[in-house]
């Protein structure tokens, strides 16, 4: 079975540009998470969807960040306008609610560099 | 809120045993995960503890003491490929079961 799929794997952009990151969760999973990872702050939860509905977006840094999940197999994280401090690795993860541990499975990540 | 502490770096010798500790303070607890993350890669699931005691899985074991807010990951017969970061993560109780990750322990295995 395919794991979590993310695209693009790498993105280099200039400050002020719009960035869109994409995620396809594991088929059958009903929970989806977007994380950001930096050396200084580690892995931080940005937003959590359950059954395509945003449940917790308290980790979204500011209005420049937005996320959508139009259906069970696709989600996007958008940054507009991007800033150099947004440079990080962005991971998408999915899990199955009510499965024993609700283990989160991570995609390969998108490495974003904003110049 | 959650507070998770683990050492930032450790070094161990190939073939040896290493123990990576994690302490946590949480307003509600519903399980603890250990993830392995190789440089430039995604975190991958290693173990999950919800009850006190030791869970063994091959060369890796994970221990939990809920009363002490303490867990450790034990790696035996270390191999060079075990060089990675090890992330401790706590799942809180109630509402929705948010998982909070520690900063991770970077383990270097040397010959």
């Amino acid at each position: 079975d395919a794991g979590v799929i993310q695209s693009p794997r790498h993105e280099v952009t200039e400050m002020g540009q719009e960035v869109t990151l994409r995620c396809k969760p594991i088929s059958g999973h009903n929970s989806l998470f977007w994380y950001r990872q930096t050396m200084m702050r580690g892995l931080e939860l940005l937003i959590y969807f359950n059954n395509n509905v945003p449940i917790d977006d308290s980790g979204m840094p500011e209005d420049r960040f937005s996320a959508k999940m139009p259906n069970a197999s696709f989600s996007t994280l958008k940054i507009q306008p991007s800033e150099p401090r947004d440079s990080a690795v962005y991971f998408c993860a999915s899990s199955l609610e009510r499965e024993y541990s609700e283990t989160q499975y991570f995609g390969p990540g998108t490495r974003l560099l904003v110049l | 809120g959650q507070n998770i502490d683990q050492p930032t770096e450790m070094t161990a010798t190939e073939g040896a045993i290493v123990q990576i500790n994690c302490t946590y303070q949480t307003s509600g607890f519903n399980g603890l995960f250990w993830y392995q993350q190789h440089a430039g890669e995604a975190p991958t699931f290693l173990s999950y503890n919800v009850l006190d005691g030791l869970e063994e899985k091959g060369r890796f074991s994970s221990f939990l003491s809920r009363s002490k807010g303490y867990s450790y990951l034990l790696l035996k017969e270390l191999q060079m490929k075990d060089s990675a970061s090890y992330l401790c993560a706590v799942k809180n109780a109630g509402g929705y079961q948010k998982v909070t990750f520690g900063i991770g322990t970077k383990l270097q295995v040397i010959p």
Side-chain angles (χ1 to χ4, degrees), chain A residues 57-68:
Chain A
D57 65 355
S58 60
M60 296 287 264
E62 49 198 270
D63 291 346
R64 297 185 297 108
F65 285 68
S66 62
K68 294 181 179 179

Side-chain angles (χ1 to χ4, degrees), chain A residues 67-91:
Chain A
K68 294 181 179 179
M69 192 164 186
N71 57 61
S73 59
F74 184 66
S75 177
T76 60
L77 178 68
K78 186 176 294 187
I79 309 173
Q80 166 63 17
S82 58
E83 296 182 2
R85 61 189 167 128
D86 301 331
S87 298
V89 182
Y90 290 81
F91 288 104

Side-chain angles (χ1 to χ4, degrees), chain A residues 33 35 37-43 45 48 55-56 58 91 100-108 111, chain B residues 33 35 37 39-45 48-51 55 87 91 96-103:
Chain A
F33 307 81
Y35 288 91
Q37 188 175 40
T38 61
M39 291 288 289
M40 291 298 295
R41 301 175 66 89
L43 203 58
L45 178 67
Y48 158 61
I55 303 299
D56 180 3
S58 60
F91 288 104
Y100 168 59
S101 63
E102 298 185 351
T103 298
Q104 295 181 25
Y105 296 90
F106 285 77
R111 282 147 187 81
Chain B
F33 296 91
Y35 279 80
Q37 186 176 24
E41 298 183 10
T44 55
F45 170 75
Y48 174 69
N49 294 68
V50 65
L51 300 175
E55 296 270 348
L87 309 176
K91 184 165 66 172
Y96 94 87
Q97 296 179 1
K98 181 177 180 177
V99 175
T100 302
F101 285 80
I103 198 76

Side-chain angles (χ1 to χ4, degrees), chain A residues 23-62:
Chain A
C23 175
K24 176 179 170 57
I26 292 172
S27 177
H29 281 188
N30 60 354
S31 293
L32 184 140
F33 307 81
W34 282 101
Y35 288 91
R36 177 172 66 179
Q37 188 175 40
T38 61
M39 291 288 289
M40 291 298 295
R41 301 175 66 89
L43 203 58
E44 301 175 285
L45 178 67
L46 299 177
I47 189 168
Y48 158 61
F49 290 89
N50 182 254
N51 293 322
N52 312 337
V53 176
I55 303 299
D56 180 3
D57 65 355
S58 60
M60 296 287 264
E62 49 198 270

